[in-house]
Coordinates of all heavy atoms in Angstrom, one line a residue:
M1 N 85.9 99.0 174.4 CA 86.5 100.3 174.0 C 87.9 99.9 173.5 O 88.6 99.2 174.0 CB 86.7 101.2 175.3 CG 87.3 102.6 174.9 SD 87.2 103.6 176.4 CE 88.3 105.0 175.8
S2 N 88.2 100.6 172.4 CA 89.5 100.3 171.7 C 90.6 100.9 172.5 O 90.4 101.8 173.4 CB 89.5 100.8 170.3 OG 89.4 102.2 170.3
R3 N 91.8 100.5 172.2 CA 93.0 101.1 172.9 C 93.0 102.6 172.7 O 92.8 103.2 171.7 CB 94.3 100.5 172.3 CG 95.5 100.9 173.0 CD 96.7 100.1 172.3 NE 96.8 100.4 170.9 CZ 97.5 101.4 170.4 NH1 98.1 102.3 171.2 NH2 97.6 101.6 169.1
R4 N 93.4 103.3 173.8 CA 93.3 104.8 173.8 C 94.5 105.3 172.9 O 95.6 104.9 173.1 CB 93.4 105.3 175.2 CG 93.3 106.8 175.3 CD 93.0 107.2 176.7 NE 93.0 108.6 176.8 CZ 91.9 109.4 176.4 NH1 90.9 108.8 176.0 NH2 92.0 110.7 176.6
L5 N 94.2 106.2 172.0 CA 95.2 106.8 171.2 C 95.9 107.9 171.9 O 95.3 108.6 172.7 CB 94.6 107.3 169.9 CG 94.0 106.4 169.0 CD1 93.2 107.1 167.8 CD2 95.0 105.4 168.4
P6 N 97.3 108.1 171.7 CA 98.0 109.1 172.4 C 97.5 110.5 171.9 O 96.9 110.6 170.8 CB 99.4 108.9 172.0 CG 99.4 108.1 170.7 CD 98.1 107.3 170.8
H7 N 97.7 111.5 172.7 CA 97.3 112.9 172.3 C 97.9 113.2 171.0 O 99.0 112.9 170.7 CB 97.7 113.9 173.3 CG 97.0 113.8 174.7 ND1 95.7 114.1 174.8 CD2 97.5 113.4 175.9 CE1 95.4 113.9 176.1 NE2 96.5 113.5 176.7
T8 N 97.2 114.0 170.2 CA 97.7 114.5 168.9 C 98.5 115.8 169.3 O 98.4 116.3 170.4 CB 96.6 114.9 167.9 OG1 95.8 115.9 168.6 CG2 95.8 113.7 167.6
E9 N 99.3 116.2 168.3 CA 100.1 117.4 168.5 C 99.2 118.6 168.8 O 99.6 119.5 169.6 CB 100.9 117.7 167.2 CG 101.8 118.9 167.3 CD 102.6 119.1 166.0 OE1 103.1 118.1 165.4 OE2 102.6 120.2 165.4
W10 N 98.1 118.7 168.2 CA 97.2 119.9 168.3 C 96.1 119.7 169.4 O 95.3 120.6 169.7 CB 96.5 120.2 167.0 CG 96.0 118.9 166.3 CD1 96.5 118.2 165.3 CD2 94.8 118.2 166.6 NE1 95.8 117.1 165.0 CE2 94.7 117.1 165.8 CE3 93.7 118.4 167.6 CZ2 93.6 116.2 165.8 CZ3 92.7 117.5 167.6 CH2 92.6 116.4 166.7
C11 N 96.1 118.6 170.1 CA 95.1 118.4 171.2 C 95.2 119.4 172.3 O 96.3 119.7 172.7 CB 95.2 116.9 171.7 SG 94.0 116.6 173.0
A12 N 94.1 119.8 172.8 CA 94.1 120.8 173.9 C 94.5 120.1 175.2 O 94.8 120.8 176.2 CB 92.7 121.5 174.0
R13 N 94.4 118.8 175.3 CA 94.8 118.0 176.5 C 94.1 118.5 177.7 O 94.8 118.7 178.8 CB 96.3 118.0 176.6 CG 97.0 117.5 175.4 CD 98.5 117.6 175.5 NE 99.1 117.3 174.2 CZ 100.2 116.5 174.1 NH1 100.7 116.0 175.1 NH2 100.7 116.2 172.9
D14 N 92.8 118.6 177.7 CA 92.1 119.0 178.9 C 90.9 118.1 179.0 O 90.8 117.0 178.4 CB 91.7 120.5 178.8 CG 90.8 120.9 177.7 OD1 90.3 119.9 177.0 OD2 90.6 122.1 177.4
H15 N 89.9 118.5 179.8 CA 88.7 117.7 180.0 C 88.0 117.3 178.8 O 87.2 116.4 178.8 CB 87.8 118.4 181.0 CG 87.1 119.7 180.4 ND1 87.8 120.9 180.2 CD2 85.9 119.9 179.8 CE1 87.1 121.7 179.7 NE2 85.9 121.2 179.4
R16 N 88.2 118.0 177.7 CA 87.4 117.7 176.4 C 87.9 116.5 175.7 O 87.3 116.0 174.9 CB 87.5 118.9 175.5 CG 86.8 120.2 176.0 CD 87.1 121.4 175.1 NE 88.5 121.8 175.3 CZ 89.0 122.9 174.8 NH1 88.3 123.6 174.0 NH2 90.3 123.2 175.1
C17 N 89.1 116.0 176.1 CA 89.7 114.9 175.3 C 89.7 113.6 176.2 O 90.7 112.9 176.3 CB 91.0 115.2 174.7 SG 92.4 114.8 175.7
N18 N 88.5 113.3 176.7 CA 88.4 112.0 177.4 C 87.2 111.2 177.0 O 86.8 110.3 177.7 CB 88.5 112.3 178.9 CG 87.3 113.1 179.4 OD1 86.4 113.5 178.6 ND2 87.3 113.5 180.6
L19 N 86.5 111.6 176.0 CA 85.3 110.9 175.5 C 85.6 110.2 174.2 O 84.9 110.4 173.2 CB 84.2 111.9 175.3 CG 83.8 112.7 176.6 CD1 82.8 113.8 176.3 CD2 83.3 111.7 177.7
R20 N 86.7 109.4 174.2 CA 87.1 108.6 173.0 C 87.5 109.5 171.8 O 87.4 109.1 170.7 CB 85.9 107.7 172.6 CG 85.6 106.7 173.6 CD 84.5 105.7 173.0 NE 84.2 104.7 174.0 CZ 83.5 103.6 173.7 NH1 83.0 103.5 172.5 NH2 83.2 102.8 174.6
E21 N 87.9 110.7 172.1 CA 88.4 111.6 171.0 C 89.3 112.6 171.6 O 89.3 112.9 172.8 CB 87.2 112.2 170.3 CG 86.3 113.1 171.1 CD 85.1 113.6 170.4 OE1 84.7 112.9 169.4 OE2 84.6 114.6 170.8
H22 N 90.1 113.2 170.7 CA 91.0 114.3 171.1 C 90.4 115.5 170.4 O 90.0 115.5 169.3 CB 92.4 114.0 170.6 CG 93.0 112.8 171.3 ND1 93.5 112.9 172.6 CD2 93.2 111.6 170.9 CE1 93.9 111.7 172.9 NE2 93.8 110.9 171.9
R23 N 90.5 116.6 171.1 CA 89.9 117.9 170.6 C 90.8 119.0 170.8 O 91.5 119.2 171.8 CB 88.6 118.2 171.4 CG 87.5 117.1 171.3 CD 86.3 117.4 172.1 NE 85.6 118.5 171.5 CZ 84.7 118.4 170.5 NH1 84.5 117.2 170.0 NH2 84.1 119.4 170.0
S24 N 90.9 119.9 169.7 CA 91.8 121.1 169.8 C 91.1 122.2 170.6 O 89.9 122.1 170.9 CB 92.1 121.5 168.4 OG 90.9 122.1 167.8
D25 N 91.9 123.2 170.8 CA 91.3 124.5 171.3 C 90.3 124.9 170.2 O 90.5 124.7 169.0 CB 92.3 125.5 171.5 CG 93.1 125.3 172.8 OD1 92.6 124.8 173.8 OD2 94.4 125.5 172.7
E26 N 89.3 125.7 170.6 CA 88.3 126.2 169.7 C 88.9 127.4 168.9 O 89.6 128.2 169.5 CB 87.0 126.6 170.4 CG 86.3 125.5 171.0 CD 85.1 125.9 171.8 OE1 85.0 127.1 172.2 OE2 84.2 125.1 172.0
I27 N 88.6 127.4 167.6 CA 89.0 128.6 166.8 C 87.7 129.3 166.5 O 86.8 128.8 165.9 CB 89.6 128.1 165.5 CG1 90.9 127.3 165.8 CG2 89.9 129.3 164.6 CD1 91.5 126.6 164.6
V28 N 87.6 130.6 167.0 CA 86.3 131.3 166.9 C 86.4 132.4 165.9 O 87.4 133.2 165.8 CB 86.0 131.9 168.3 CG1 84.7 132.7 168.3 CG2 85.9 130.8 169.3
V29 N 85.4 132.5 165.1 CA 85.3 133.6 164.1 C 84.0 134.4 164.5 O 82.9 133.8 164.5 CB 85.2 133.1 162.7 CG1 84.9 134.3 161.7 CG2 86.4 132.3 162.3
T30 N 84.2 135.7 164.8 CA 83.0 136.5 165.2 C 82.9 137.7 164.3 O 83.9 138.4 164.1 CB 83.2 137.0 166.7 OG1 83.3 135.9 167.5 CG2 82.0 137.8 167.1
L31 N 81.8 137.8 163.7 CA 81.5 139.0 162.8 C 80.3 139.7 163.4 O 79.2 139.3 163.2 CB 81.3 138.6 161.4 CG 82.4 137.9 160.6 CD1 82.0 137.4 159.3 CD2 83.6 138.9 160.5
P32 N 80.6 140.8 164.2 CA 79.5 141.5 164.8 C 78.3 141.8 163.8 O 78.6 142.4 162.7 CB 80.1 142.7 165.4 CG 81.6 142.4 165.6 CD 81.9 141.4 164.4
G33 N 77.1 141.5 164.2 CA 76.0 141.8 163.4 C 75.7 140.6 162.4 O 74.6 140.6 161.9
Y34 N 76.6 139.8 162.2 CA 76.4 138.7 161.2 C 76.3 137.3 162.0 O 75.5 136.5 161.6 CB 77.6 138.6 160.3 CG 77.6 139.7 159.3 CD1 78.1 141.0 159.6 CD2 77.0 139.6 158.0 CE1 78.1 142.0 158.7 CE2 77.0 140.6 157.1 CZ 77.5 141.8 157.5 OH 77.5 142.9 156.6
G35 N 77.2 137.1 163.0 CA 77.1 135.9 163.7 C 78.5 135.4 164.2 O 79.5 136.2 164.2
R36 N 78.6 134.2 164.5 CA 79.8 133.6 165.2 C 79.9 132.2 164.8 O 78.9 131.4 164.7 CB 79.6 133.7 166.7 CG 80.7 133.2 167.5 CD 80.3 133.6 169.0 NE 81.4 133.3 169.9 CZ 81.6 132.2 170.6 NH1 80.7 131.2 170.5 NH2 82.6 132.1 171.4
A37 N 81.1 131.7 164.5 CA 81.3 130.3 164.2 C 82.5 129.8 165.0 O 83.4 130.5 165.3 CB 81.6 130.1 162.7
V38 N 82.4 128.5 165.4 CA 83.5 127.9 166.2 C 83.9 126.6 165.5 O 83.1 125.8 165.1 CB 83.0 127.6 167.6 CG1 84.1 126.9 168.4 CG2 82.4 128.8 168.3
L39 N 85.2 126.5 165.2 CA 85.7 125.3 164.6 C 86.6 124.6 165.6 O 87.4 125.2 166.2 CB 86.5 125.7 163.3 CG 87.1 124.5 162.5 CD1 87.1 124.9 161.0 CD2 88.5 124.1 162.9
T40 N 86.4 123.3 165.7 CA 87.3 122.4 166.5 C 87.8 121.3 165.7 O 87.0 120.6 165.0 CB 86.4 121.9 167.7 OG1 85.8 123.0 168.4 CG2 87.3 121.1 168.7
R41 N 89.1 121.0 165.8 CA 89.6 119.8 165.2 C 89.5 118.6 166.1 O 89.8 118.7 167.3 CB 91.1 120.1 164.9 CG 91.8 119.0 164.1 CD 93.1 119.4 163.6 NE 93.8 118.4 162.9 CZ 95.0 118.5 162.3 NH1 95.6 119.7 162.3 NH2 95.5 117.5 161.6
V42 N 89.0 117.5 165.6 CA 88.7 116.4 166.4 C 89.3 115.1 165.8 O 89.3 115.0 164.5 CB 87.2 116.2 166.5 CG1 86.8 115.0 167.3 CG2 86.5 117.4 167.1
A43 N 89.9 114.2 166.6 CA 90.3 112.9 166.2 C 89.5 111.9 166.9 O 89.5 112.0 168.2 CB 91.8 112.7 166.4
D44 N 88.8 111.0 166.2 CA 88.0 110.0 167.0 C 88.9 108.8 167.5 O 90.1 108.8 167.3 CB 86.9 109.5 166.1 CG 87.3 108.6 164.9 OD1 88.5 108.2 164.9 OD2 86.5 108.3 164.0
E45 N 88.3 107.9 168.1 CA 89.1 106.8 168.8 C 89.8 105.9 167.7 O 90.7 105.1 168.1 CB 88.1 105.9 169.6 CG 87.1 105.2 168.8 CD 86.1 104.5 169.7 OE1 86.5 103.7 170.5 OE2 84.9 104.7 169.5
H46 N 89.5 106.0 166.5 CA 90.2 105.2 165.4 C 91.3 106.1 164.8 O 91.9 105.6 163.8 CB 89.2 104.8 164.4 CG 88.1 104.0 165.0 ND1 88.2 102.7 165.5 CD2 86.7 104.3 165.1 CE1 87.1 102.3 166.0 NE2 86.2 103.2 165.8
G47 N 91.4 107.3 165.2 CA 92.4 108.2 164.6 C 91.9 109.0 163.4 O 92.7 109.8 162.8
R48 N 90.7 108.8 163.0 CA 90.1 109.6 161.9 C 89.9 111.0 162.4 O 89.4 111.2 163.5 CB 88.8 108.9 161.5 CG 88.1 109.6 160.3 CD 88.7 109.0 159.1 NE 87.9 109.4 157.9 CZ 88.1 110.5 157.2 NH1 89.1 111.3 157.5 NH2 87.3 110.8 156.2
E49 N 90.2 112.0 161.6 CA 90.1 113.4 162.0 C 89.0 114.1 161.3 O 88.6 113.8 160.1 CB 91.4 114.1 161.7 CG 92.6 113.6 162.5 CD 93.8 114.4 162.5 OE1 93.7 115.6 162.2 OE2 94.9 113.9 162.8
Y50 N 88.4 115.1 162.0 CA 87.3 115.8 161.5 C 87.4 117.3 161.9 O 88.1 117.6 162.9 CB 86.0 115.3 162.2 CG 85.7 113.9 161.9 CD1 86.1 112.9 162.7 CD2 84.9 113.5 160.7 CE1 85.9 111.5 162.5 CE2 84.7 112.2 160.5 CZ 85.1 111.2 161.3 OH 84.9 109.9 161.1
A51 N 86.7 118.1 161.2 CA 86.5 119.5 161.6 C 85.1 119.6 162.0 O 84.2 119.3 161.3 CB 86.8 120.5 160.4
E52 N 84.9 120.0 163.3 CA 83.6 120.2 163.9 C 83.3 121.7 163.9 O 84.1 122.5 164.4 CB 83.6 119.6 165.3 CG 82.2 119.6 165.9 CD 82.3 118.9 167.3 OE1 82.4 117.7 167.3 OE2 82.4 119.6 168.3
I53 N 82.1 122.0 163.4 CA 81.7 123.4 163.2 C 80.4 123.7 163.9 O 79.4 122.9 163.7 CB 81.6 123.9 161.8 CG1 82.9 123.6 161.0 CG2 81.2 125.3 161.6 CD1 82.8 123.8 159.5
R54 N 80.4 124.7 164.7 CA 79.1 125.2 165.3 C 79.0 126.7 165.0 O 79.9 127.4 165.1 CB 79.2 125.0 166.8 CG 77.9 125.2 167.6 CD 78.0 124.9 169.1 NE 79.0 125.7 169.8 CZ 80.1 125.4 170.3 NH1 80.5 124.1 170.1 NH2 80.9 126.2 170.9
A55 N 77.8 127.1 164.5 CA 77.7 128.4 164.1 C 76.4 129.0 164.5 O 75.3 128.3 164.6 CB 77.8 128.6 162.6
R56 N 76.4 130.3 164.8 CA 75.1 131.1 165.1 C 75.1 132.2 164.1 O 76.0 133.1 164.1 CB 75.2 131.6 166.5 CG 74.0 132.4 166.9 CD 74.0 132.8 168.4 NE 73.8 131.6 169.2 CZ 73.0 131.6 170.3 NH1 72.5 132.8 170.7 NH2 72.8 130.5 171.0
L57 N 74.1 132.2 163.2 CA 74.0 133.1 162.1 C 72.8 134.0 162.3 O 71.7 133.5 162.6 CB 73.9 132.4 160.8 CG 75.0 131.3 160.6 CD1 74.7 130.5 159.3 CD2 76.4 131.9 160.5
A58 N 73.0 135.3 162.1 CA 71.9 136.2 162.3 C 70.8 136.1 161.1 O 71.2 136.0 160.0 CB 72.4 137.7 162.2
L59 N 69.6 135.9 161.5 CA 68.5 135.8 160.5 C 67.7 137.1 160.5 O 67.5 137.8 161.4 CB 67.6 134.6 160.9 CG 68.2 133.2 160.9 CD1 67.2 132.2 161.3 CD2 68.8 132.9 159.5
H60 N 67.1 137.3 159.3 CA 66.3 138.5 159.1 C 65.0 138.3 160.0 O 64.5 137.2 160.2 CB 65.9 138.5 157.6 CG 65.3 139.8 157.2 ND1 64.0 140.2 157.5 CD2 65.8 140.8 156.5 CE1 63.8 141.4 157.0 NE2 64.9 141.8 156.4
P61 N 64.5 139.4 160.5 CA 63.3 139.3 161.4 C 62.0 139.0 160.7 O 61.1 138.6 161.4 CB 63.3 140.7 162.1 CG 64.0 141.6 161.1 CD 65.1 140.8 160.5
V62 N 62.0 139.1 159.4 CA 60.8 138.8 158.7 C 60.9 137.4 158.1 O 61.9 137.0 157.5 CB 60.5 139.9 157.5 CG1 59.3 139.5 156.7 CG2 60.4 141.3 158.1
E63 N 59.8 136.6 158.3 CA 59.8 135.2 158.0 C 60.2 134.8 156.6 O 61.1 134.0 156.5 CB 58.5 134.6 158.4 CG 58.5 133.1 158.3 CD 59.5 132.4 159.2 OE1 59.9 133.0 160.2 OE2 60.1 131.4 158.8
P64 N 59.6 135.4 155.6 CA 60.1 134.9 154.3 C 61.6 135.1 154.0 O 62.2 134.2 153.4 CB 59.2 135.7 153.3 CG 58.1 136.2 154.0 CD 58.6 136.4 155.4
A65 N 62.1 136.2 154.5 CA 63.5 136.4 154.3 C 64.3 135.5 155.1 O 65.4 134.9 154.6 CB 63.9 137.9 154.6
A66 N 63.9 135.2 156.3 CA 64.6 134.2 157.2 C 64.6 132.9 156.6 O 65.7 132.2 156.6 CB 64.0 134.2 158.6
R67 N 63.5 132.4 156.0 CA 63.5 131.1 155.3 C 64.4 131.1 154.1 O 65.0 130.0 153.9 CB 62.1 130.8 154.9 CG 61.2 130.4 156.1 CD 59.8 130.0 155.7 NE 59.0 129.8 156.8 CZ 58.5 128.6 157.1 NH1 58.7 127.6 156.3 NH2 57.8 128.4 158.2
R68 N 64.5 132.1 153.4 CA 65.4 132.2 152.3 C 66.9 132.1 152.8 O 67.7 131.4 152.2 CB 65.2 133.4 151.4 CG 64.0 133.4 150.5 CD 64.0 134.5 149.5 NE 64.0 135.9 150.1 CZ 62.9 136.5 150.5 NH1 61.7 135.9 150.3 NH2 63.0 137.7 151.0
Q69 N 67.1 132.7 153.9 CA 68.5 132.6 154.4 C 68.8 131.2 154.8 O 69.9 130.7 154.6 CB 68.6 133.5 155.7 CG 68.8 135.0 155.4 CD 68.9 135.7 156.7 OE1 67.9 136.0 157.4 NE2 70.1 136.1 157.0
L70 N 67.8 130.5 155.5 CA 68.0 129.1 155.9 C 68.3 128.2 154.7 O 69.1 127.3 154.8 CB 66.8 128.7 156.7 CG 66.7 129.3 158.1 CD1 65.3 128.9 158.7 CD2 67.8 128.9 159.0
Q71 N 67.5 128.5 153.6 CA 67.7 127.7 152.4 C 69.2 127.9 151.9 O 69.8 126.9 151.5 CB 66.7 128.1 151.3 CG 65.3 127.6 151.6 CD 64.3 128.1 150.6 OE1 64.5 129.2 150.0 NE2 63.3 127.3 150.4
A72 N 69.6 129.1 151.9 CA 71.0 129.4 151.5 C 72.0 128.7 152.4 O 73.0 128.2 151.9 CB 71.2 130.9 151.4
V73 N 71.8 128.8 153.7 CA 72.7 128.1 154.7 C 72.8 126.6 154.4 O 73.8 126.0 154.3 CB 72.2 128.4 156.1 CG1 73.0 127.5 157.1 CG2 72.4 129.8 156.5
L74 N 71.6 126.0 154.2 CA 71.6 124.5 153.9 C 72.3 124.2 152.6 O 73.1 123.2 152.5 CB 70.2 124.0 153.9 CG 69.5 124.0 155.2 CD1 68.0 123.6 155.1 CD2 70.2 123.0 156.2
A75 N 72.1 125.0 151.6 CA 72.8 124.8 150.3 C 74.3 124.9 150.5 O 75.1 124.1 150.0 CB 72.2 125.7 149.2
D76 N 74.7 126.0 151.2 CA 76.1 126.2 151.4 C 76.8 125.2 152.2 O 77.9 124.8 152.0 CB 76.4 127.6 152.0 CG 76.1 128.7 151.0 OD1 75.9 128.4 149.8 OD2 76.1 129.9 151.4
L77 N 76.0 124.7 153.2 CA 76.6 123.6 154.1 C 76.7 122.4 153.3 O 77.7 121.6 153.4 CB 75.6 123.4 155.3 CG 75.7 124.4 156.4 CD1 74.7 124.1 157.5 CD2 77.1 124.3 157.1
R78 N 75.8 122.1 152.4 CA 75.9 120.9 151.6 C 77.1 121.0 150.7 O 77.9 120.0 150.6 CB 74.6 120.7 150.7 CG 74.7 119.5 149.8 CD 73.4 119.5 148.9 NE 73.5 118.4 148.0 CZ 72.9 117.3 148.1 NH1 72.2 117.0 149.2 NH2 73.1 116.3 147.2
D79 N 77.3 122.1 150.1 CA 78.5 122.3 149.2 C 79.8 122.2 150.1 O 80.8 121.6 149.6 CB 78.5 123.7 148.6 CG 77.4 123.8 147.5 OD1 76.9 122.8 147.1 OD2 77.1 125.0 147.1
L80 N 79.8 122.8 151.3 CA 81.0 122.7 152.1 C 81.3 121.3 152.5 O 82.5 120.8 152.4 CB 80.8 123.6 153.4 CG 81.9 123.5 154.4 CD1 83.2 124.2 153.8 CD2 81.5 124.2 155.7
V81 N 80.3 120.6 153.0 CA 80.5 119.2 153.4 C 81.0 118.3 152.2 O 81.9 117.5 152.4 CB 79.2 118.6 154.0 CG1 79.3 117.1 154.2 CG2 78.9 119.3 155.3
T82 N 80.4 118.5 151.0 CA 80.8 117.8 149.9 C 82.2 118.1 149.5 O 83.1 117.2 149.2 CB 79.9 118.1 148.7 OG1 78.5 117.7 149.1 CG2 80.3 117.3 147.4
R83 N 82.6 119.4 149.4 CA 83.9 119.8 149.0 C 85.0 119.3 150.0 O 86.0 118.7 149.5 CB 84.0 121.3 148.9 CG 85.2 121.8 148.2 CD 85.2 123.3 147.9 NE 85.1 124.1 149.1 CZ 84.0 124.8 149.5 NH1 82.9 124.9 148.8 NH2 84.1 125.5 150.6
V84 N 84.7 119.5 151.2 CA 85.7 119.0 152.2 C 85.8 117.5 152.3 O 86.9 116.9 152.4 CB 85.4 119.6 153.6 CG1 86.3 119.1 154.7 CG2 85.5 121.2 153.6
G85 N 84.6 116.9 152.2 CA 84.6 115.4 152.2 C 85.3 114.8 151.0 O 86.1 113.8 151.2
N86 N 85.2 115.4 149.9 CA 85.9 114.9 148.7 C 87.4 115.1 148.8 O 88.2 114.2 148.4 CB 85.4 115.7 147.4 CG 84.1 115.2 146.9 OD1 83.7 114.0 147.3 ND2 83.4 116.0 146.2
A87 N 87.8 116.2 149.4 CA 89.2 116.5 149.7 C 89.8 115.5 150.7 O 91.0 115.2 150.6 CB 89.5 117.9 150.1
A88 N 89.0 114.9 151.6 CA 89.5 114.0 152.6 C 89.7 112.6 152.1 O 90.3 111.8 152.7 CB 88.5 114.0 153.8
R89 N 89.1 112.3 150.9 CA 89.2 111.0 150.3 C 90.6 110.7 149.7 O 91.1 111.6 149.1 CB 88.2 110.7 149.2 CG 86.8 110.7 149.8 CD 85.8 110.7 148.6 NE 84.4 110.7 149.1 CZ 83.5 109.8 148.7 NH1 83.9 108.9 147.7 NH2 82.3 109.8 149.2
P90 N 91.1 109.5 149.9 CA 92.4 109.3 149.3 C 92.3 109.3 147.7 O 91.2 109.0 147.2 CB 92.7 107.8 149.7 CG 91.5 107.3 150.4 CD 90.6 108.4 150.6
A91 N 93.3 109.8 147.1 CA 93.3 109.8 145.6 C 93.2 108.4 145.1 O 93.7 107.5 145.6 CB 94.6 110.5 145.1
P92 N 92.4 108.3 143.9 CA 92.3 107.0 143.4 C 93.6 106.5 142.9 O 94.4 107.2 142.4 CB 91.3 107.2 142.2 CG 91.3 108.7 141.9 CD 91.7 109.3 143.2
R93 N 93.8 105.2 143.1 CA 95.1 104.6 142.6 C 95.0 104.0 141.2 O 94.0 103.4 140.9 CB 95.5 103.5 143.6 CG 95.7 104.0 145.0 CD 96.0 102.9 146.0 NE 97.3 102.3 145.6 CZ 98.0 101.4 146.3 NH1 97.4 101.0 147.4 NH2 99.1 101.0 145.9
H94 N 96.0 104.3 140.4 CA 95.9 103.7 139.1 C 96.4 102.3 139.1 O 97.3 101.9 139.8 CB 96.9 104.6 138.2 CG 96.4 106.0 138.0 ND1 95.4 106.3 137.2 CD2 96.8 107.1 138.6 CE1 95.1 107.6 137.2 NE2 96.0 108.1 138.1
S95 N 95.7 101.5 138.3 CA 96.0 100.0 138.3 C 97.2 99.7 137.4 O 97.7 98.6 137.4 CB 94.7 99.3 137.8 OG 94.5 99.6 136.4
G96 N 97.5 100.7 136.5 CA 98.6 100.4 135.6 C 98.1 99.9 134.3 O 98.9 99.8 133.4
R97 N 96.9 99.6 134.3 CA 96.3 99.1 133.0 C 95.9 100.2 132.1 O 95.6 101.3 132.6 CB 95.0 98.2 133.3 CG 95.3 97.0 134.0 CD 94.1 96.2 134.2 NE 94.2 95.2 135.2 CZ 93.2 94.7 135.9 NH1 92.0 95.0 135.6 NH2 93.4 93.8 136.9
T98 N 95.8 100.0 130.9 CA 95.3 101.1 129.9 C 94.0 100.6 129.4 O 93.8 99.4 129.2 CB 96.4 101.3 128.8 OG1 96.6 100.1 128.1 CG2 97.6 101.9 129.4
A99 N 93.2 101.6 129.0 CA 91.9 101.2 128.4 C 92.1 100.5 127.1 O 93.0 100.9 126.3 CB 91.1 102.5 128.2
A100 N 91.3 99.5 126.8 CA 91.4 98.8 125.5 C 90.7 99.6 124.4 O 89.8 100.4 124.6 CB 90.7 97.4 125.6
Ligands
ZN1 ZN1 94.0 114.5 173.7

């Protein structure tokens, strides 16, 4: 196990931050009739930070409609993961060279 990192400024500093990571208090979004989502900020043992999301979304009671909703959820999650992941990458560094 690597050296334990000190608590972050936003860490909840409770039982949740002893499994090789630091975890914030949960931020909960509840929309009655639509669902609920919980976001937690997490730093792993290497100091890398993540947004962890858990959501419960209301599905239509009829199967074809529910499947369409699930397809939309997966597409939106893919877009979200890509957009946030791209924003987390360091900006490319210019070499100072110009194209020939
Ligand atoms: Zn902590």
Side-chain angles (χ1 to χ4, degrees):
M1 184 172 168
S2 65
R3 187 175 58 84
R4 185 164 176 79
L5 295 172
H7 293 291
T8 60
E9 180 182 313
W10 45 260
C11 180
R13 300 175 190 225
D14 62 11
H15 67 282
R16 294 170 288 185
C17 91
N18 60 4
L19 300 173
R20 296 186 178 189
E21 60 188 24
H22 297 283
R23 302 178 67 84
S24 71
D25 286 323
E26 295 178 337
I27 300 169
V28 180
V29 176
T30 301
L31 294 174
Y34 289 85
R36 179 177 191 264
V38 179
L39 184 147
T40 306
R41 187 171 178 173
V42 179
D44 70 13
E45 61 185 312
H46 305 291
R48 184 82 168 92
E49 295 192 20
Y50 300 91
E52 184 177 284
I53 300 169
R54 187 175 66 249
R56 179 175 286 222
L57 307 172
L59 294 178
H60 196 282
V62 177
E63 189 54 32
R67 285 180 184 246
R68 283 193 298 275
Q69 285 179 282
L70 291 170
Q71 288 175 332
V73 168
L74 290 172
D76 288 351
L77 282 174
R78 181 186 173 97
D79 290 347
L80 177 66
V81 170
T82 300
R83 190 172 64 248
V84 173
N86 284 338
R89 292 172 177 231
R93 298 178 66 174
H94 294 282
S95 65
R97 296 183 198 156
T98 55

